[in-house]
Amino acid sequence: MENAVSIVETIKPVTDALTNAITPVQLVAVLASVIGVGMGFVLMWFGVRKGISIFKKAVMKGKISA
């Protein structure tokens, strides 16, 4: 049990420093940035898949159609 207490005492300064350093505004900004970049990657993924599909159909049928 005393090992658990020493771990808590060791971690406490780190958690205090993190909670004082990160503000809710910064947290929201980081989350918004991550979501924005993620949406960009998802849309890019769909576009690449659509492009590959169009290319494959063009090669197989000999004509381009979206």
Side-chain angles (χ1 to χ4, degrees), residues 28-45:
V28 169
V30 168
L31 288 174
S33 300
V34 168
I35 290 171
V37 169
M39 286 180 4
F41 277 120
V42 167
L43 292 174
M44 183 176 59
W45 173 253

Side-chain angles (χ1 to χ4, degrees), residues 2-30:
E2 48 187 66
N3 190 16
V5 172
S6 69
I7 291 174
V8 170
E9 290 173 358
T10 304
I11 294 176
K12 184 158 177 42
V14 174
T15 57
D16 288 342
L18 284 175
T19 54
N20 291 335
I22 299 173
T23 64
V25 173
Q26 291 172 329
L27 186 61
V28 169
V30 168

